[in-house]
Amino acid sequence: ISAEVTSSGGIVAERAMYFDYLGEYSGGSCEHGAAAAATEWNLAEGYTAQAFDTWILLYNPGGEEAHAAVDLLREDGHTGRVEMSVPARSRATLYVDGVPDFSACSFASKVSCDRPVVVERAMYFDSEGRRGGHVALGSPALSGTWLFGEGYTAEAFDTWLLVGNPSAEVARVTFNLLVPGGSGGKTLEVEVAPHSRYTLHVDEHLPAAEVAALVESDRPVVAERAMYFDYQGKQGGS
């Protein structure tokens, strides 16, 4: 199911889901809707190795068939493309684990379409025994600056920052990791190869910390934050 919510006045709309995926991964997810469809969408996160499943979901709210190209950008720079048709007023699904050369890897993705669509990504996982699922709306634009207020690396929490670079040039990226009080954080500089994805495991640089992040790049990129946790016996990810 895809959905369109319209109103005579300004509103905010979200979607909550609760699930038992394959009888093994139980949990829930929540995401706000897109304010508008677009012809380009970008996602930094994607993982198909171990016990992870990744799905890319396209919704065409228009009255004519849309033709989309999904570019998959592996962390090692290998790329792949899947072309999809999305009928008018319908939804299409790409199971990335089933794409040749992308069944066991980390990747970012870029979706380009000849008509405005909406793109989300759903993942179901077992991250060191923390089972669940999460979903994210794609970004219709790249940026040289991304800001994240949440991040936690203490106890049974893992925090990851993911950067996707869909351009043909190297992106020089600075991760500014910020902690309470304003001192004691870290700054890391990396290069993200063209048509690829970069992964930063924040726990390795600031263990047992509350962390915010400012990600800056000399070229437009897309960035996301993934967290996996065991919070007082409640396991999952976001």
Side-chain angles (χ1 to χ4, degrees):
I1 301 171
S2 294
E4 180 176 6
V5 180
T6 59
S7 172
S8 60
I11 58 171
V12 61
E14 295 188 62
R15 178 203 59 245
M17 293 179 64
Y18 303 95
F19 54 80
D20 186 346
Y21 175 69
L22 301 179
E24 298 182 10
Y25 306 84
S26 61
S29 64
C30 187
E31 178 62 292
H32 60 79
T39 56
E40 180 178 307
W41 293 90
N42 301 275
L43 294 157
E45 170 67 311
Y47 193 53
T48 55
Q50 300 169 311
F52 280 69
D53 287 341
T54 300
W55 307 78
I56 295 177
L57 318 160
L58 294 80
Y59 166 44
N60 175 14
E64 298 185 42
E65 184 175 70
H67 302 94
V70 182
D71 290 310
L72 304 173
L73 315 174
R74 249 174 29 188
E75 197 155 318
D76 62 2
H78 179 77
T79 64
R81 170 171 284 194
V82 177
E83 297 185 352
M84 303 175 63
S85 294
V86 190
R89 292 181 290 277
S90 75
R91 126 98 180 258
T93 304
L94 174 64
Y95 179 50
V96 182
D97 298 59
V99 178
D101 296 330
F102 288 87
S103 62
C105 64
S106 304
F107 64 95
S109 52
K110 177 178 180 178
V111 180
S112 305
C113 196
D114 62 352
R115 297 188 181 279
V117 294
V118 175
V119 174
E120 292 188 72
R121 179 203 62 245
M123 295 178 64
Y124 300 94
F125 55 81
D126 182 338
S127 175
E128 298 183 356
R130 297 163 297 190
R131 295 182 174 186
H134 52 64
V135 68
L137 179 69
S139 173
L142 303 171
S143 177
T145 303
W146 294 90
L147 305 104
F148 301 94
E150 168 66 313
Y152 192 54
T153 60
E155 303 169 83
F157 280 70
D158 282 305
T159 300
W160 308 78
L161 292 172
L162 307 317
V163 175
N165 176 19
S167 77
E169 304 292 336
V170 171
R172 293 169 177 81
V173 176
T174 301
F175 294 94
N176 302 283
L177 305 178
L178 315 170
V179 297
S183 62
K186 285 192 175 181
T187 299
L188 306 167
E189 296 181 353
V190 304
E191 291 188 349
V192 184
H195 308 301
S196 75
R197 123 97 180 259
Y198 184 87
T199 303
L200 179 73
H201 189 199
V202 180
D203 299 57
E204 296 178 10
H205 303 279
L206 284 175
E210 300 172 359
V211 185
L214 166 63
V215 180
E216 299 176 295
S217 174
D218 67 346
R219 294 188 179 277
V221 294
V222 60
E224 293 189 67
R225 176 203 62 239
M227 294 179 65
Y228 300 94
F229 54 80
D230 184 335
Y231 174 69
Q232 299 179 4
K234 296 182 278 279
Q235 299 177 346
S238 66

